Amino acid sequence: MPSPLPVRDGVGATRLHVPLTGDWPTIADYMVERFFHLDPERLLVRFDRGEIVARDGRPLRRETPLGAEEFVWYYREPPVEKEIPFTEEILHEDDHLVVIDKPHFLPTTPGGKYLQNSALVRLRNRLGNPELTPIHRLDRATAGLLMFSVRPATRGAYQLLFEDRRVEKVYEAVSARPAGWNPSRFPLVYRTHIEKHRGEVRVQVDDTREPNSETLIDVIDADDRVVHTLLRPHSGKMHQLRVHLAALGLGILHDGFYPELLPEQPDDFSRPLQLLARELRFLDPLTGEERVFTTRRSLQDAPAR
C-alpha cells in the first residue's frame, strides 16, 4: 500500500491500522488510547496541524469519526537521539545494489530511540535516494556487511535470494575460552528450534520440536583467553548465532542477551558485541555473475595473529 506522504529527511511515513468499529467515537480517541504513553494534547495538536492523513493524503481532524478510515499515515516525531559516533562505509554501489560495512551499535532501520541514527536513514540522506531499502537485516549490535536495494523494479529479485537461502553468509565471533576447552569437536553443525514470542526481547529454544535453525561452526584461532570462530548459518532466525554459540558454552563476548539476559545498560562503545558479518556470496539474479563482498572490519578481541 503506497504511502500518501513522501520520504522526509530519509524517513518514510508510518502507517497505522485503525479499527472500523469499537468504543472510540473518533480516530483521535483511538490513537490517544493506542499511544497512552504520549501526551494526549500533543497528539491532538498534530490533528489540528494536518499531520495525520488518510490514504489519499487528506488531513484528518480531531472530530473524524471512527470507521471513516481504516489506515492513517503520519511522520514519527524525531526522538532526542544519542549520536552513534561511527560511520558506515560504502563498499559497493551500482544501479541495483549498495553494500556497506555497518559499524557496531548502528541499527539497520529506524526504531525505538533511533531514527536518523540508522543505516537506512543515513544512506538515504547521503545518497539522495528515498527508495533505498534494506534487503536483509543485521542486529544493531552486530557489525559487518549489509546490502540495500537501489530500485523497486529489481528489489524482489534480490530479496528472493535471501528467502530461498541462495546467499552464502559467513560470520566471525569471539567468545571467552571455556574451562576444559576441547577444539577437537569442531567443525560441527548445530541445529535447534528457535521461536520469537511477541513482547519478549530474547528468542526461545524448544528442544522438543524439529530444528528450524542450522549453523556450521569452525574454529579460526584460540589463545588462553578467547576462542575465535567462523560461522556459516544455513538459516536466518533471529539471534541464531548468539543462541547457538551460547548453547555450546561459547557465549559471544559482551552479549547482554545470551546465555543470560543482563539488565539494560547504556551503550559502552569500548565493548562492542564480538560478532561480525564477514562475507556475502551469491549469483546475481540479473546477470548470473558471482558476487562476493567481504568486510574490512575486524573484531577487537580476536587473538593476535
Side-chain angles (χ1 to χ4, degrees):
M1 188 181 298
S3 170
L5 297 174
V7 171
R8 186 176 71 182
D9 297 328
V11 182
T14 296
R15 184 184 72 186
L16 176 69
H17 179 262
V18 179
L20 295 175
T21 60
D23 297 330
W24 309 275
T26 67
I27 291 175
D29 289 325
Y30 168 75
M31 292 184 66
V32 165
E33 184 172 318
R34 170 72 170 75
F35 300 109
F36 62 90
H37 56 288
L38 301 178
D39 175 19
E41 188 56 32
R42 184 174 176 181
L43 192 152
L44 293 172
V45 166
R46 299 198 66 187
F47 278 91
D48 298 339
R49 294 199 299 251
E51 296 177 0
I52 315 289
V53 306
R55 185 172 183 174
D56 59 3
R58 174 174 38 84
L60 302 178
R61 298 174 293 109
R62 293 190 189 208
E63 300 80 14
T64 301
L66 192 75
E69 300 291 339
E70 188 174 2
F71 295 95
V72 301
W73 280 260
Y74 58 92
Y75 293 111
R76 284 182 57 198
E77 292 191 319
V80 178
E81 294 185 63
K82 182 177 181 179
E83 185 70 22
I84 305 297
F86 308 107
T87 303
E88 66 288 347
E89 179 184 3
I90 297 176
L91 300 180
H92 173 85
E93 183 180 1
D94 63 30
D95 290 340
H96 308 286
L97 293 177
V98 171
V99 182
I100 69 166
D101 234 349
K102 185 184 83 67
H104 294 285
F105 302 105
L106 183 69
T108 298
T109 57
K113 299 178 290 185
Y114 300 97
L115 191 63
Q116 293 297 320
N117 279 283
S118 64
L120 174 61
V121 174
R122 283 187 179 185
L123 282 173
R124 281 179 170 175
N125 291 331
R126 181 175 172 181
L127 300 177
N129 181 1
E131 296 184 331
L132 204 70
T133 301
I135 299 173
H136 62 118
R137 304 291 176 99
L138 284 182
D139 289 342
R140 187 171 84 87
T142 305
L145 298 176
L146 185 58
M147 196 158 72
F148 292 79
S149 164
V150 172
R151 302 172 58 229
T154 58
R155 183 169 302 149
Y158 291 100
Q159 289 173 330
L160 278 176
L161 290 176
F162 286 88
E163 292 174 14
D164 296 341
R165 299 180 181 177
R166 289 183 282 137
V167 178
E168 294 181 38
K169 296 175 285 185
V170 181
Y171 290 75
E172 294 180 28
V174 177
S175 310
R177 177 170 174 151
W181 162 246
N182 179 13
S184 64
R185 61 194 297 210
F186 296 90
L188 61 81
V189 175
Y190 192 84
R191 301 180 182 91
T192 193
H193 188 95
I194 292 176
E195 289 185 341
K196 174 64 171 72
H197 299 298
R198 188 171 183 177
E200 296 185 7
V201 297
R202 300 204 307 172
V203 300
Q204 301 297 318
V205 174
D206 187 346
D207 293 328
T208 67
R209 300 182 64 184
E210 187 73 18
N212 63 358
S213 63
E214 176 181 307
T215 308
L216 172 62
I217 304 171
D218 202 355
V219 175
I220 299 173
D221 199 1
D223 60 19
D224 58 356
R225 306 173 303 107
V226 297
V227 178
H228 188 190
T229 50
L230 187 73
L231 312 166
R232 297 180 182 272
H234 180 63
S235 49
K237 296 297 180 182
M238 181 178 177
H239 294 174
Q240 173 178 321
L241 303 179
R242 298 160 79 166
V243 168
H244 286 184
L245 284 175
L248 295 170
L250 291 169
I252 300 174
L253 283 179
H254 315 315
D255 189 352
F257 283 60
Y258 308 94
E260 179 185 359
L261 180 62
L262 302 178
E264 185 176 1
Q265 299 288 337
D267 287 336
D268 182 346
F269 295 137
S270 70
R271 291 166 53 85
L273 178 73
Q274 292 298 280
L275 181 61
L276 175 67
R278 166 174 159 170
E279 184 177 297
L280 291 173
R281 182 186 298 264
F282 57 92
L283 293 180
D284 191 288
L286 303 183
T287 66
E289 68 174 310
E290 184 179 44
R291 296 284 198 110
V292 181
F293 300 107
T294 305
T295 183
R296 295 177 185 169
R297 298 181 183 273
S298 59
L299 294 173
Q300 66 181 30
D301 292 309
R305 304 187 73 179

PDB file of all heavy atoms in Angstrom, residues 181-195:
ATOM      1  N   TRP A 181      38.254 -26.436  27.517  1.00  0.00           N
ATOM      2  CA  TRP A 181      38.074 -26.207  26.079  1.00  0.00           C
ATOM      3  C   TRP A 181      38.660 -27.356  25.272  1.00  0.00           C
ATOM      4  O   TRP A 181      39.801 -27.768  25.474  1.00  0.00           O
ATOM      5  CB  TRP A 181      38.723 -24.886  25.707  1.00  0.00           C
ATOM      6  CG  TRP A 181      38.999 -24.700  24.242  1.00  0.00           C
ATOM      7  CD1 TRP A 181      40.221 -24.615  23.648  1.00  0.00           C
ATOM      8  CD2 TRP A 181      38.035 -24.550  23.202  1.00  0.00           C
ATOM      9  NE1 TRP A 181      40.084 -24.424  22.298  1.00  0.00           N
ATOM     10  CE2 TRP A 181      38.753 -24.387  21.991  1.00  0.00           C
ATOM     11  CE3 TRP A 181      36.651 -24.552  23.169  1.00  0.00           C
ATOM     12  CZ2 TRP A 181      38.132 -24.218  20.771  1.00  0.00           C
ATOM     13  CZ3 TRP A 181      36.028 -24.382  21.962  1.00  0.00           C
ATOM     14  CH2 TRP A 181      36.747 -24.218  20.777  1.00  0.00           C
ATOM     15  N   ASN A 182      37.851 -27.892  24.345  1.00  0.00           N
ATOM     16  CA  ASN A 182      38.274 -29.018  23.508  1.00  0.00           C
ATOM     17  C   ASN A 182      38.029 -28.678  22.047  1.00  0.00           C
ATOM     18  O   ASN A 182      36.910 -28.817  21.555  1.00  0.00           O
ATOM     19  CB  ASN A 182      37.516 -30.287  23.896  1.00  0.00           C
ATOM     20  CG  ASN A 182      37.896 -31.477  23.032  1.00  0.00           C
ATOM     21  OD1 ASN A 182      38.898 -31.441  22.302  1.00  0.00           O
ATOM     22  ND2 ASN A 182      37.106 -32.542  23.115  1.00  0.00           N
ATOM     23  N   PRO A 183      39.049 -28.232  21.319  1.00  0.00           N
ATOM     24  CA  PRO A 183      38.848 -27.832  19.925  1.00  0.00           C
ATOM     25  C   PRO A 183      38.596 -28.995  18.977  1.00  0.00           C
ATOM     26  O   PRO A 183      38.171 -28.776  17.840  1.00  0.00           O
ATOM     27  CB  PRO A 183      40.162 -27.126  19.573  1.00  0.00           C
ATOM     28  CG  PRO A 183      41.174 -27.737  20.490  1.00  0.00           C
ATOM     29  CD  PRO A 183      40.445 -28.032  21.767  1.00  0.00           C
ATOM     30  N   SER A 184      38.834 -30.227  19.426  1.00  0.00           N
ATOM     31  CA  SER A 184      38.712 -31.373  18.521  1.00  0.00           C
ATOM     32  C   SER A 184      37.269 -31.642  18.098  1.00  0.00           C
ATOM     33  O   SER A 184      37.038 -32.368  17.128  1.00  0.00           O
ATOM     34  CB  SER A 184      39.297 -32.627  19.174  1.00  0.00           C
ATOM     35  OG  SER A 184      38.556 -32.989  20.329  1.00  0.00           O
ATOM     36  N   ARG A 185      36.312 -31.084  18.805  1.00  0.00           N
ATOM     37  CA  ARG A 185      34.898 -31.303  18.448  1.00  0.00           C
ATOM     38  C   ARG A 185      34.468 -30.474  17.242  1.00  0.00           C
ATOM     39  O   ARG A 185      33.384 -30.662  16.709  1.00  0.00           O
ATOM     40  CB  ARG A 185      33.998 -30.988  19.649  1.00  0.00           C
ATOM     41  CG  ARG A 185      34.102 -29.561  20.122  1.00  0.00           C
ATOM     42  CD  ARG A 185      33.482 -29.352  21.491  1.00  0.00           C
ATOM     43  NE  ARG A 185      32.057 -29.604  21.512  1.00  0.00           N
ATOM     44  CZ  ARG A 185      31.191 -28.991  22.337  1.00  0.00           C
ATOM     45  NH1 ARG A 185      31.642 -28.080  23.184  1.00  0.00           N
ATOM     46  NH2 ARG A 185      29.921 -29.275  22.310  1.00  0.00           N
ATOM     47  N   PHE A 186      35.311 -29.537  16.822  1.00  0.00           N
ATOM     48  CA  PHE A 186      34.990 -28.661  15.694  1.00  0.00           C
ATOM     49  C   PHE A 186      35.757 -29.102  14.454  1.00  0.00           C
ATOM     50  O   PHE A 186      36.864 -29.634  14.562  1.00  0.00           O
ATOM     51  CB  PHE A 186      35.329 -27.211  16.038  1.00  0.00           C
ATOM     52  CG  PHE A 186      34.512 -26.657  17.176  1.00  0.00           C
ATOM     53  CD1 PHE A 186      34.956 -26.775  18.494  1.00  0.00           C
ATOM     54  CD2 PHE A 186      33.296 -26.049  16.940  1.00  0.00           C
ATOM     55  CE1 PHE A 186      34.203 -26.282  19.538  1.00  0.00           C
ATOM     56  CE2 PHE A 186      32.534 -25.545  17.971  1.00  0.00           C
ATOM     57  CZ  PHE A 186      32.993 -25.667  19.278  1.00  0.00           C
ATOM     58  N   PRO A 187      35.208 -28.858  13.243  1.00  0.00           N
ATOM     59  CA  PRO A 187      33.930 -28.184  12.949  1.00  0.00           C
ATOM     60  C   PRO A 187      32.739 -29.066  13.301  1.00  0.00           C
ATOM     61  O   PRO A 187      32.835 -30.303  13.311  1.00  0.00           O
ATOM     62  CB  PRO A 187      34.009 -27.936  11.444  1.00  0.00           C
ATOM     63  CG  PRO A 187      34.897 -29.020  10.931  1.00  0.00           C
ATOM     64  CD  PRO A 187      35.913 -29.262  12.013  1.00  0.00           C
ATOM     65  N   LEU A 188      31.622 -28.412  13.557  1.00  0.00           N
ATOM     66  CA  LEU A 188      30.383 -29.117  13.848  1.00  0.00           C
ATOM     67  C   LEU A 188      29.197 -28.330  13.306  1.00  0.00           C
ATOM     68  O   LEU A 188      29.295 -27.123  13.057  1.00  0.00           O
ATOM     69  CB  LEU A 188      30.225 -29.375  15.348  1.00  0.00           C
ATOM     70  CG  LEU A 188      30.163 -28.187  16.318  1.00  0.00           C
ATOM     71  CD1 LEU A 188      28.773 -27.548  16.369  1.00  0.00           C
ATOM     72  CD2 LEU A 188      30.551 -28.631  17.715  1.00  0.00           C
ATOM     73  N   VAL A 189      28.089 -29.021  13.121  1.00  0.00           N
ATOM     74  CA  VAL A 189      26.832 -28.391  12.712  1.00  0.00           C
ATOM     75  C   VAL A 189      25.892 -28.404  13.910  1.00  0.00           C
ATOM     76  O   VAL A 189      25.650 -29.474  14.498  1.00  0.00           O
ATOM     77  CB  VAL A 189      26.194 -29.116  11.516  1.00  0.00           C
ATOM     78  CG1 VAL A 189      24.825 -28.511  11.191  1.00  0.00           C
ATOM     79  CG2 VAL A 189      27.099 -29.042  10.288  1.00  0.00           C
ATOM     80  N   TYR A 190      25.398 -27.233  14.276  1.00  0.00           N
ATOM     81  CA  TYR A 190      24.484 -27.132  15.415  1.00  0.00           C
ATOM     82  C   TYR A 190      23.092 -26.779  14.908  1.00  0.00           C
ATOM     83  O   TYR A 190      22.928 -25.861  14.103  1.00  0.00           O
ATOM     84  CB  TYR A 190      24.948 -26.063  16.406  1.00  0.00           C
ATOM     85  CG  TYR A 190      24.200 -26.136  17.717  1.00  0.00           C
ATOM     86  CD1 TYR A 190      24.599 -27.011  18.712  1.00  0.00           C
ATOM     87  CD2 TYR A 190      23.071 -25.349  17.946  1.00  0.00           C
ATOM     88  CE1 TYR A 190      23.902 -27.110  19.909  1.00  0.00           C
ATOM     89  CE2 TYR A 190      22.370 -25.433  19.122  1.00  0.00           C
ATOM     90  CZ  TYR A 190      22.790 -26.321  20.106  1.00  0.00           C
ATOM     91  OH  TYR A 190      22.080 -26.413  21.277  1.00  0.00           O
ATOM     92  N   ARG A 191      22.103 -27.536  15.381  1.00  0.00           N
ATOM     93  CA  ARG A 191      20.708 -27.318  14.977  1.00  0.00           C
ATOM     94  C   ARG A 191      19.828 -27.251  16.215  1.00  0.00           C
ATOM     95  O   ARG A 191      20.044 -27.976  17.188  1.00  0.00           O
ATOM     96  CB  ARG A 191      20.217 -28.463  14.080  1.00  0.00           C
ATOM     97  CG  ARG A 191      21.009 -28.679  12.796  1.00  0.00           C
ATOM     98  CD  ARG A 191      20.409 -29.833  11.999  1.00  0.00           C
ATOM     99  NE  ARG A 191      21.154 -30.104  10.774  1.00  0.00           N
ATOM    100  CZ  ARG A 191      22.167 -30.964  10.698  1.00  0.00           C
ATOM    101  NH1 ARG A 191      22.554 -31.637  11.789  1.00  0.00           N
ATOM    102  NH2 ARG A 191      22.794 -31.150   9.555  1.00  0.00           N
ATOM    103  N   THR A 192      18.806 -26.414  16.135  1.00  0.00           N
ATOM    104  CA  THR A 192      17.811 -26.348  17.201  1.00  0.00           C
ATOM    105  C   THR A 192      16.575 -25.630  16.673  1.00  0.00           C
ATOM    106  O   THR A 192      16.573 -25.074  15.571  1.00  0.00           O
ATOM    107  CB  THR A 192      18.366 -25.628  18.435  1.00  0.00           C
ATOM    108  OG1 THR A 192      17.506 -25.841  19.549  1.00  0.00           O
ATOM    109  CG2 THR A 192      18.487 -24.128  18.192  1.00  0.00           C
ATOM    110  N   HIS A 193      15.506 -25.652  17.467  1.00  0.00           N
ATOM    111  CA  HIS A 193      14.263 -24.950  17.093  1.00  0.00           C
ATOM    112  C   HIS A 193      14.205 -23.636  17.857  1.00  0.00           C
ATOM    113  O   HIS A 193      14.226 -23.619  19.090  1.00  0.00           O
ATOM    114  CB  HIS A 193      13.027 -25.798  17.415  1.00  0.00           C
ATOM    115  CG  HIS A 193      11.764 -25.210  16.875  1.00  0.00           C
ATOM    116  ND1 HIS A 193      11.226 -25.575  15.654  1.00  0.00           N
ATOM    117  CD2 HIS A 193      10.932 -24.245  17.366  1.00  0.00           C
ATOM    118  CE1 HIS A 193      10.126 -24.892  15.429  1.00  0.00           C
ATOM    119  NE2 HIS A 193       9.934 -24.070  16.449  1.00  0.00           N
ATOM    120  N   ILE A 194      14.134 -22.522  17.122  1.00  0.00           N
ATOM    121  CA  ILE A 194      14.117 -21.184  17.702  1.00  0.00           C
ATOM    122  C   ILE A 194      12.765 -20.528  17.425  1.00  0.00           C
ATOM    123  O   ILE A 194      12.266 -20.586  16.305  1.00  0.00           O
ATOM    124  CB  ILE A 194      15.258 -20.330  17.113  1.00  0.00           C
ATOM    125  CG1 ILE A 194      16.610 -20.855  17.572  1.00  0.00           C
ATOM    126  CG2 ILE A 194      15.094 -18.866  17.499  1.00  0.00           C
ATOM    127  CD1 ILE A 194      17.787 -20.128  16.952  1.00  0.00           C
ATOM    128  N   GLU A 195      12.194 -19.908  18.450  1.00  0.00           N
ATOM    129  CA  GLU A 195      10.929 -19.175  18.306  1.00  0.00           C
ATOM    130  C   GLU A 195      11.074 -17.785  18.909  1.00  0.00           C
ATOM    131  O   GLU A 195      11.740 -17.621  19.936  1.00  0.00           O
ATOM    132  CB  GLU A 195       9.789 -19.898  19.022  1.00  0.00           C
ATOM    133  CG  GLU A 195       9.342 -21.186  18.374  1.00  0.00           C
ATOM    134  CD  GLU A 195       8.123 -21.763  19.081  1.00  0.00           C
ATOM    135  OE1 GLU A 195       7.876 -21.375  20.245  1.00  0.00           O
ATOM    136  OE2 GLU A 195       7.420 -22.579  18.478  1.00  0.00           O
TER     137      GLU A 195
END
